[in-house]
């Protein structure tokens, strides 16, 4: 339960700074203006699988709802990162690799969790939205670094596999306000899907390593 | 208003066909290249023009329970003044007591002048695939078109206008949902792209100017005009949020924020979009 204590603590700290800064800058605006959270809630409505609970922010989301140069530092950042680390779940059977071909599909699929998506379909990981991976796939995004030749360049030592699994599970362990989705922690991908993506990154036969 | 030339119909048809295939074509070549080609082919013949004309007809047509036109609608520069009005929206309207963007203002006028029921007028703001443009889409295309060349000057005089800006700016950085995305995730760095789609950096004036001044836009992939509220709502969908309500404080706040960021840019809407 210690870990949850951290969440509340960071959350409360962030919330109170947010309130203080709102109160001062918007004082001249509307005296009885609704709070930011109320304005947000009243601006959305549930649709399909996207319920209103998606607007409830956890401690990390609250702390990271700022421009990049105002991201938390020091103890505030440490608290979020330790909390993220404590929640990482490694594969129960100690096996990191699934099927790279299934992993490739996951890396290419952008669907999943939008209200326009069929909730019965498996979620994609959409890695190509942000990363270069296989050298012959030119439709890749650039929000994240290139992962071309990932396994070939980094090898498959235990620390490297743990590092990469942790990255996929919750990237905030390494970068407090990372913009990479928490594929494991937020339940976007299943353990099996994560293993498939791991194989896509590391398997010598995977197109990523050609 | 130019009249329809014999050339335009085949051009429109070709554009629609290419639009359908664009998902495939686009994956092979940079988006920007393809649209540069489209633009070169069609030049000033933006297929949105047809929809602008429909919007003008709608503006002048007696409709609704009161059988009145919208011609006396006050878009911020006085009743009936259309030229240049879009470039100064959203703004605070004393009669409604709130900040409104073009789309929510049009609903207000449909209710007040034409006697439409509010819920009904705002029920289906965007047309479905293959449908005729909605009244709000056609009217937006027409009204935005009448600001062509007018520099963007979204007012920040009234406290409610400043509050709308602050709300929009704060929301821009709000991270939420299963993917933790904020608008800033995709729109706060220059020169980035998602797959092959260029991502404008909406926190920098150059990209914000280009983005704001070209909406509403004719979406080639959808074969119709989409409005700025549609754009906000569709990005929120990709953000994995619930549905952003039409005319909501967040929608109007974001549009105010973008408009202020685009200060001074001559309007050039409806633009041509992917």
């Amino acid at each position: 339960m210690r870990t949850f204590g951290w969440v509340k603590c960071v959350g409360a700290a962030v919330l109170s700074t947010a309130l203080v800064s709102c109160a001062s800058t918007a004082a001249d605006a509307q005296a009885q203006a609704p709070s930011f959270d109320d304005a947000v809630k009243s601006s959305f409505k549930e649709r399909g699988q996207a319920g209103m609970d998606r607007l409830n922010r956890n401690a990390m989301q609250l702390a990271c709802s700022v421009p990049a140069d105002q991201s938390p530092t020091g103890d505030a950042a440490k608290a979020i990162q330790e909390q993220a680390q404590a929640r990482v779940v490694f594969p129960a059977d100690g096996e990191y690799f699934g099927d790279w071909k299934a992993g490739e599909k996951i890396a290419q699929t952008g669907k999943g969790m939008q209200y326009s998506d069929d909730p019965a379909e498996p979620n994609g990981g959409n890695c190509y939205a942000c990363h270069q991976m296989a050298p012959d796939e030119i439709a890749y995004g650039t929000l994240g670094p290139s992962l071309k030749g990932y396994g070939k360049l980094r090898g498959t030592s235990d620390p490297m596999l743990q590092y990469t699994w942790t990255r996929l599970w919750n990237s905030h362990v390494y970068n407090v306000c990372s913009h990479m989705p928490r594929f494991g922690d937020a339940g976007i991908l299943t353990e099996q899907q994560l293993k498939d993506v791991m194989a896509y990154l590391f398997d010598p036969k995977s197109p990523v390593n050609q | 208003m130019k009249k329809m030339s014999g050339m335009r119909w085949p051009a429109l048809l070709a554009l629609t066909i290419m639009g359908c295939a664009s998902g495939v074509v686009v994956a092979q070549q940079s988006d920007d290249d393809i649209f540069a080609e489209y633009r070169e082919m069609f030049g000033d013949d933006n297929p949105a023009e047809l929809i602008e004309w429909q919007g003008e007809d709608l503006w002048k047509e007696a409709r609704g329970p009161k059988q009145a036109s919208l011609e006396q609608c006050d878009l911020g520069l006085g009743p009936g003044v259309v030229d240049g009005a879009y470039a100064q929206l959203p703004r605070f309207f004393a009669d409604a007591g709130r900040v409104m963007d073009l789309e929510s203002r049009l609903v207000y006028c449909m209710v007040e002048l034409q006697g439409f029921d509010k819920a009904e007028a705002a029920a289906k703001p965007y047309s479905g695939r293959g449908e005729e443009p909605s009244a709000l889409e056609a009217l937006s295309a027409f009204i935005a078109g009448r600001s062509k060349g007018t520099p963007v000057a979204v007012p920040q005089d009234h406290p409610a206008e400043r509050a709308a800006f602050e709300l929009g700016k704060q929301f821009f950085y709000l991270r939420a949902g299963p993917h933790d995305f904020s608008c800033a995730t995709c729109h706060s760095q220059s020169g980035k792209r998602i797959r092959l789609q260029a991502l404008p950096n909406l926190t920098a004036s150059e990209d914000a100017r280009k983005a704001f001044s070209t909406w509403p836009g004719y979406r080639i992939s959808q074969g119709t005009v989409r409005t700025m509220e549609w754009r906000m709502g569709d990005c929120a969908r990709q953000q994995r949020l619930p549905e952003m309500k039409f005319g909501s404080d967040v929608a109007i706040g974001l549009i105010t924020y973008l408009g202020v960021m685009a200060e001074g840019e001559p309007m050039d809407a409806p633009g041509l979009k992917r």
Side-chain angles (χ1 to χ4, degrees), chain A residues 60 77-90 162-163 165-178 180 182 185:
Chain A
M60 178 282 291
K78 213 173 136 217
I80 292 168
Q81 291 176 276
E82 285 177 0
Q83 159 68 16
Q85 177 79 66
R87 287 166 55 96
V88 177
V89 179
F90 290 95
Q162 268 169 33
Y163 162 77
W165 183 271
T166 304
R167 263 284 174 202
L168 297 181
W169 192 272
N170 189 343
S171 191
H172 300 263
V173 169
Y174 302 108
N175 175 4
V176 63
C177 289
S178 174
M180 174 154 140
R182 293 169 288 134
D185 191 61

Side-chain angles (χ1 to χ4, degrees), chain A residues 118-148:
Chain A
D118 177 356
E121 293 284 313
N123 295 331
N126 212 11
C127 318
Y128 275 104
C130 298
H131 294 288
Q132 179 175 34
M133 299 184 92
D136 60 359
E137 172 58 90
I138 58 146
Y140 62 86
T142 55
L143 286 172
S146 171
L147 303 174
K148 191 171 79 173

Side-chain angles (χ1 to χ4, degrees), chain B:
Chain B
M1 191 121 307
K2 282 184 288 179
K3 55 181 192 334
M4 184 75 92
S5 77
M7 266 309 292
R8 195 167 282 120
W9 286 108
L12 254 172
L13 195 64
L15 194 66
T16 311
I17 292 165
M18 282 191 277
C20 294
S22 74
V24 185
V25 178
V26 165
Q28 306 303 320
Q29 218 181 324
S30 145
D31 255 13
D32 289 346
D33 293 352
I34 288 187
F35 292 109
E37 273 171 41
Y38 280 154
R39 289 201 184 88
E40 204 163 300
M41 264 167 90
F42 298 112
D44 289 337
D45 286 355
N46 186 332
E49 241 173 62
L50 196 64
I51 299 172
E52 290 178 63
W53 296 333
Q54 290 176 11
E56 184 171 17
D57 289 346
L58 267 176
W59 178 257
K60 293 179 176 157
E61 193 184 317
R63 294 170 74 231
K66 295 190 187 166
Q67 280 300 297
S69 79
L70 287 169
E71 286 164 302
Q72 286 308 302
C73 180
D74 180 356
L75 297 172
L77 303 182
V81 181
V82 178
D83 287 335
Y86 189 85
Q88 295 189 32
L89 287 169
R91 63 159 59 235
F92 179 77
F93 286 90
D95 53 9
R98 69 176 297 222
V99 176
M100 291 172 146
D101 61 344
L102 172 65
E103 292 160 71
S104 46
R105 186 62 184 171
L106 282 169
V107 169
Y108 178 89
C109 288
M110 287 174 181
V111 171
E112 296 299 319
L113 299 179
Q114 299 183 311
F116 282 109
D117 175 68
K118 185 172 178 211
E120 199 185 305
K124 198 163 181 287
Y126 321 122
S127 57
R129 224 164 238 286
E131 291 174 7
E132 281 291 296
S134 72
L136 286 171
E137 285 167 343
L139 286 163
S140 298
F142 159 61
I143 291 160
R146 292 275 291 265
S147 276
K148 260 200 185 113
T150 308
V152 174
V154 172
Q156 286 284 281
D157 305 321
H158 194 279
E161 292 167 346
R162 294 195 289 274
F165 173 88
E166 290 299 334
L167 173 65
K169 185 174 179 183
Q170 198 176 347
F171 186 84
F172 192 86
Y173 291 99
L174 175 136
R175 298 189 67 174
H179 287 59
D180 308 323
F181 289 153
S182 59
C183 310
T185 298
C186 297
H187 295 300
S188 64
Q189 299 173 77
S190 298
K192 296 288 182 184
R193 56 178 215 239
I194 228 172
R195 285 281 182 150
L196 288 175
Q197 292 162 38
L199 290 169
N201 177 359
L202 298 172
T203 66
S205 102
E206 191 189 343
D207 286 5
R209 280 165 162 254
K210 198 171 151 218
F212 187 87
S213 61
T214 52
W215 283 89
Y218 184 89
R219 293 267 299 183
I220 294 164
S221 55
Q222 298 181 317
T224 193
V225 163
R226 292 302 191 196
T227 63
M228 193 55 140
E229 284 221 22
W230 175 86
R231 182 68 272 175
M232 299 295 99
D234 205 57
C235 274
R237 176 183 64 81
Q238 292 176 56
Q239 220 173 314
R240 272 77 180 170
L241 296 182
E243 182 179 331
M244 191 186 287
K245 286 189 202 160
F246 175 81
S248 63
D249 288 347
V250 164
I252 292 170
L254 283 169
I255 297 170
T256 304
Y257 169 62
L258 295 174
V260 170
M261 292 292 295
E263 170 84 21
E265 182 73 6
M267 278 302 301
D268 192 18
L272 196 54
K273 301 284 172 185
R274 185 177 72 88

